[in-house]
C-alpha cells in the first residue's frame, strides 16, 4: 500500500480559511463531509502517512479518489453548510443516527380555530406545539387525562367539532365531560384559546404559578363558604400534583435545559437526550449512532448537537445544553443556536451538583442502551436461524455455517500488532473459545492475516498440540488475561481443532485474498471464506470481482456485523491489556516504585500517554512521590 495518496493536494493549494471539505470516490459520490476552522491544518491530518491513521479513517481516504473544499466567511457558516450537506448527501462515512423507536408526543394543534390536544408520532403537523417524547404511549394518555381536569381544552376529532358547531349540539366527548372546547357549548372560542395558552404554559414549565393561583382561589372559596367551588379547585390541585408526580423535580424550577448522556465504543455510540423544562424531565429520547470513521468524544457531541437542533423550532431550543465534553467549536455552536432560538443559549459541561447527578443518570442509561443495541437480536432463536439460512444462501454454501470464526488485526501506529479470533456457534458467541495472537514481524494487515490463519489452521492437523489451560491464550502469549465471563478450565480440550464452516475476516478484497492464500497453503480449501468491509458493509468472496450486497435489514448482515465488531472489540481489549502490562513492567524497574504507587500513577494520569508527557513537577504532585522519585520516573519513561 502506497504511503502517499495520489490525489493529495499540494500544501500551498489548501487555504487556511474556515470552510467545508468533501471526499469523493471515483464515481463522484460524496463519502465524507467535514468542517474546519483552518482547512489546511485539518486536511493535513487525513494525508498523514497511512500507517499512522486510524483503521476506519484509512479506509475512507483510500476509498476516496479526490478531495475538494469550499471556503466560507466564518466558522458559523462552515457549521451551517456542513449540516446542510450531510442532510442532503447522507455520506456513508459520516456518523449515522437511528432512533430506537418512533416516540409518541403530546401535540396541541395551534393552527386550528379551537386547538385540540392529541397523541401522535407525526412530528410534521403544521402549527402544532409538541411536548415529549414520552417513553410509552400510555404515559401520554395518562398526562392528558389529568391535564384536561385542570385545563379542559378540546379533545374531540375535527369532524365532531365541525358537526357540533354546525348543529349547536355538544360533541359526544363534551356531553360526557371529556372535551372542553367550544364544541361543548360551555366556552367561547376566545375563552378556550386562553385555556390552551394556560395548558401550554403549564407544560412548558410554569408549574408553581398555577399551583399558587389555584391554592389561593380554593382558600378564597372556602372562606366565602362556597364549598362546591373550593372542592373543584381542590380536585384541580390534586390533578396538577399527579402530573408533577410523574416527572420529579430534578433541578431548580427555573431550569430549562437539554442534557445529553453519551456512551460509546470504537464502532457505535448511544445517546440519551433528557429534555428538562421547569426543572423536570419532560421527555427522553434514545438514539444509536454508527461511527464510520474514528472521531473523538468532543466531535461526536458536535454532531449530536447539529443533528438535534438542525431542524428544531425556536421554542424547542433551551437556554442550556449540557454535554459530557465541550466540542472545539462550542462558541460557534452557541452562536448558531442563538440565531435559531432568537435568545441566548449556552453549551456547558455538567460538573457538579444536580446537573452532574442527572448527567450520570443519562450516561448510565446510554451505557445500557448501547449494550442493548449490540445484543438485541442475540436471544431471538428465529432471528438467529434466519441469519444462518440467509448467510448460506448469500454465500452459496452447501450447509448453514453453524461454527463461524472471525479474525481482526489491530495495531497502534504500526506497532504492537495483535490479532483476535472470535467464535460463534449457532449464531451465539463462544467466549471460552476466543483466542488472541501476538504478531512480532509484519508488513501490513494482509500479511498479519496470512500469518495468523496459518498458525490457527495448523491445529486442525495437530489436535494433540491444543492449548491446555487458558481459553484466551495465544499461540505465542499463553499469559493473556481473561475477559469477563470467560471460564478457566485445566482439562485438555481440543477446541482449537474444531473446523469452522466459515471464516470471516475484517476487510475487503486484499484481506480476503490473503486469507484465501493461507487456506490454500494450509491445505484446507474446503472451509468457506468471506470478508466484510466497513466501507459500505459489502461482503467479499475470494476471487470475485464484485462484492455481495446484503440488505441493510438482513439478519445475515447483522450477524456478520456482530462478528466483526466482536473481533474488533476483543483485539482492542487485548492490545490495551498488553500496553498496560508493558508500562507496568517498565515502571516496576524504577527503584522505590512499588505496585501501589504504579496503580496510583496510572489512575491519576488516566493513560500511559499522559504519564509519558507529564513533567517531574506534575508527577511529584501525587501523594507519596517526592522530587527524586518523580525525576527517576520521568527519566525512565523518556529513555523508553
Amino acid at each position: 500500500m502506497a504511503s502517499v495518496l495520489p490525489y493529495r493536494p499540494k500544501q500551498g493549494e489548501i487555504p487556511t480559511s474556515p470552510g467545508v471539505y468533501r471526499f469523493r470516490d471515483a464515481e463522484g459520490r460524496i463519502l465524507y463531509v467535514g468542517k474546519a476552522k483552518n482547512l489546511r491544518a485539518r486536511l493535513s491530518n487525513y494525508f498523514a502517512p497511512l500507517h499512522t491513521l486510524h483503521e476506519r479513517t484509512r479506509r475512507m481516504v483510500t476509498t476516496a479518489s479526490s478531495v475538494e473544499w469550499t471556503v466560507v466567511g466564518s466558522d458559523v457558516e462552515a457549521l451551517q453548510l456542513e449540516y446542510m450537506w450531510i442532510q442532503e448527501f447522507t455520506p456513508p462515512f459520516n456518523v449515522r443516527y437511528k432512533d430506537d423507536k418512533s416516540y409518541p408526543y403530546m401535540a396541541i394543534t395551534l393552527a386550528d380555530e379551537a386547538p385540540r390536544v392529541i397523541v401522535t408520532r407525526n412530528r410534521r403537523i403544521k402549527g402544532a406545539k409538541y411536548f415529549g417524547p414520552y417513553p410509552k404511549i400510555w404515559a401520554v394518555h395518562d398526562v392528558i387525562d389529568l391535564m384536561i381536569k385542570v385545563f379542559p381544552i378540546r379533545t374531540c376529532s375535527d369532524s365532531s367539532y365541525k358537526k357540533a358547531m354546525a348543529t349547536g349540539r355538544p360533541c359526544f366527548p363534551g356531553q360526557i365531560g371529556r372535551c372542553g372546547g367550544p364544541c361543548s357549548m360551555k366556552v367561547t372560542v376566545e375563552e378556550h384559546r386562553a385555556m390552551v395558552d394556560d395548558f401550554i404554559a403549564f407544560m412548558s414549565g410554569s408549574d408553581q404559578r398555577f399551583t399558587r393561583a389555584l391554592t389561593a382561589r380554593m382558600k378564597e372559596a372556602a372562606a366565602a363558604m362556597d364549598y362546591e367551588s373550593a372542592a373543584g379547585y381542590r380536585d384541580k390541585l390534586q390533578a396538577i400534583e399527579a402530573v408533577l408526580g410523574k416527572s420529579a423535580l430534578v433541578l431548580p424550577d427555573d431550569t430549562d435545559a437539554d442534557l445529553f448522556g453519551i456512551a460509546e465504543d470504537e464502532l457505535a455510540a448511544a445517546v440519551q437526550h433528557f429534555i428538562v423544562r421547569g426543572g423536570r424531565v419532560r421527555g427522553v429520547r434514545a438514539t444509536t449512532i454508527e461511527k464510520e470513521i474514528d472521531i473523538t468524544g468532543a466531535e461526536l457531541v458536535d454532531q449530536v448537537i447539529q443533528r438535534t437542533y438542525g431542524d428544531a423550532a425556536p421554542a424547542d431550543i433551551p437556554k442550556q445544553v449540557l454535554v459530557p465534553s465541550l466540542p472545539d467549536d462550542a462558541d460557534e455552536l452557541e452562536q448558531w443556536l442563538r440565531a435559531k432560538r432568537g435568545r441566548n443559549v449556552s453549551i456547558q459541561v455538567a460538573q457538579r451538583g444536580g446537573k452532574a447527578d442527572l448527567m450520570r443518570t443519562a450516561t448510565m442509561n446510554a451505557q445500557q442502551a448501547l449494550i442493548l443495541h449490540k445484543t438485541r437480536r442475540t436471544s431471538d432463536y428465529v432471528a438467529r436461524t434466519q441469519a444462518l439460512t440467509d448467510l448460506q444462501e448469500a454465500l452459496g454454501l452447501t450447509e448453514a455455517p453453524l461454527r463461524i470464526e472471525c479474525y481482526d488485526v489491530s495495531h497502534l501506529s504500526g506497532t504492537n500488532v495483535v490479532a483476535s479470533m472470535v467464535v460463534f456457534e449457532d449464531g451465539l458467541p463462544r467466549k471460552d473459545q476466543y483466542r488472541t495472537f501476538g504478531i512480532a514481524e509484519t508488513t501490513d494487515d494482509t500479511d498479519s492475516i496470512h500469518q495468523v490463519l496459518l498458525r490457527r489452521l495448523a491445529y486442525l492437523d495437530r489436535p494433540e498440540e491444543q492449548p491446555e489451560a487458558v481459553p484466551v491464550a495465544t499461540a505465542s502469549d499463553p499469559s493473556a488475561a481473561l475477559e469477563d465471563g470467560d471460564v478457566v478450565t485445566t482439562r485438555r480440550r481440543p477446541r482449537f481443532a474444531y473446523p469452522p464452516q466459515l471464516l470471516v475476516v475484517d476487510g475487503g478484497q486484499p484481506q480476503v485474498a490473503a486469507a484465501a492464500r493461507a487456506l490454500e497453503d494450509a491445505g484446507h480449501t474446503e472451509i468457506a471464506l468471506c470478508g466484510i468491509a466497513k466501507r459500505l458493509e459489502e461482503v467479499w468472496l475470494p476471487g470475485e470481482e464484485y462484492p455481495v450486497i446484503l440488505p441493510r435489514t438482513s439478519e445475515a448482515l447483522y450477524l456478520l456485523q456482530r462478528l466483526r465488531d466482536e473481533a474488533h472489540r476483543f483485539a482492542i481489549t487485548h492490545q490495551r491489556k498488553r500496553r498496560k502490562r508493558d508500562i507496568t513492567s517498565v515502571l516496576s524497574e524504577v527503584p522505590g516504585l512499588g505496585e501501589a504507587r504504579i496503580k496510583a500513577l496510572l489512575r491519576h494520569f488516566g493513560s500511559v500517554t499522559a504519564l509519558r508527557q507529564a513533567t517531574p513537577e506534575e508527577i511529584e504532585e501525587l501523594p507519596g512521590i517526592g522530587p527524586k522519585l518523580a525525576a527517576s520516573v520521568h527519566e525512565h519513561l523518556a529513555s523508553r
Side-chain angles (χ1 to χ4, degrees), residues 71-122:
V71 175
V72 296
S74 68
D75 298 337
V76 176
E77 291 180 26
L79 189 153
Q80 292 171 329
L81 186 59
E82 179 197 34
Y83 174 77
M84 182 180 72
W85 277 346
I86 289 175
Q87 298 305 305
E88 180 178 354
F89 300 113
T90 58
F93 280 93
N94 283 92
V95 295
R96 291 178 294 171
Y97 299 85
K98 181 170 64 176
D99 283 344
D100 281 359
K101 62 190 82 175
S102 175
Y103 288 95
Y105 288 82
M106 178 195 301
I108 294 89
T109 57
L110 294 177
D112 294 346
E113 176 187 60
R116 65 173 177 145
V117 58
I118 59 173
V119 180
T120 181
R121 298 179 190 271
N122 179 10

Side-chain angles (χ1 to χ4, degrees), residues 82 104 110 130 165 168 185 202 229 268 294 311 341 392 400 500 509 578 618:
E82 179 197 34
L110 294 177
Y130 290 91
M165 297 303 286
M185 306 303 163
F202 179 86
S229 297
D294 186 43
D311 297 322
R341 183 174 186 252
Q392 176 188 355
Q509 277 180 310
R578 285 187 60 174
E618 290 172 334

Side-chain angles (χ1 to χ4, degrees), residues 556-626:
L557 178 59
Y558 180 81
L559 175 60
L560 289 177
Q561 288 172 328
R562 276 210 70 208
L563 277 158
R564 183 208 41 221
D565 294 354
E566 182 70 352
H568 184 72
R569 179 200 67 79
F570 193 59
I572 290 291
T573 302
H574 178 61
Q575 187 185 77
R576 287 173 177 167
K577 287 179 179 178
R578 285 187 60 174
R579 293 206 302 268
K580 186 175 180 180
R581 287 199 301 271
D582 291 344
I583 192 63
T584 301
S585 300
V586 170
L587 289 173
S588 64
E589 298 171 2
V590 179
L593 201 60
E595 183 179 347
R597 285 178 176 172
I598 291 174
K599 289 182 179 178
L601 276 170
L602 295 176
R603 190 185 311 113
H604 177 76
F605 287 98
S607 69
V608 174
T609 302
L611 178 56
R612 288 185 184 276
Q613 294 174 349
T615 63
E617 291 74 18
E618 290 172 334
I619 298 174
E620 187 183 340
E621 293 176 0
L622 198 68
I625 296 183

Side-chain angles (χ1 to χ4, degrees), residues 35 94 195 210 242 266 337 380 458 482 488-489 608 634:
K35 66 178 182 302
N94 283 92
M195 277 193 294
F210 294 100
E266 292 83 4
L337 292 175
D380 189 339
L482 293 176
V488 177
T489 176
V608 174
H634 182 267

Side-chain angles (χ1 to χ4, degrees), residues 354-379:
K355 293 177 182 177
D357 292 340
L358 189 59
M359 177 63 77
R360 281 190 286 272
T361 300
T363 302
M364 182 176 64
N365 278 271
Q367 290 168 346
Q368 294 299 318
L370 184 60
I371 294 171
L372 181 63
H373 171 67
K374 292 289 187 181
T375 60
R376 180 174 293 157
R377 302 181 195 178
T378 303
S379 59

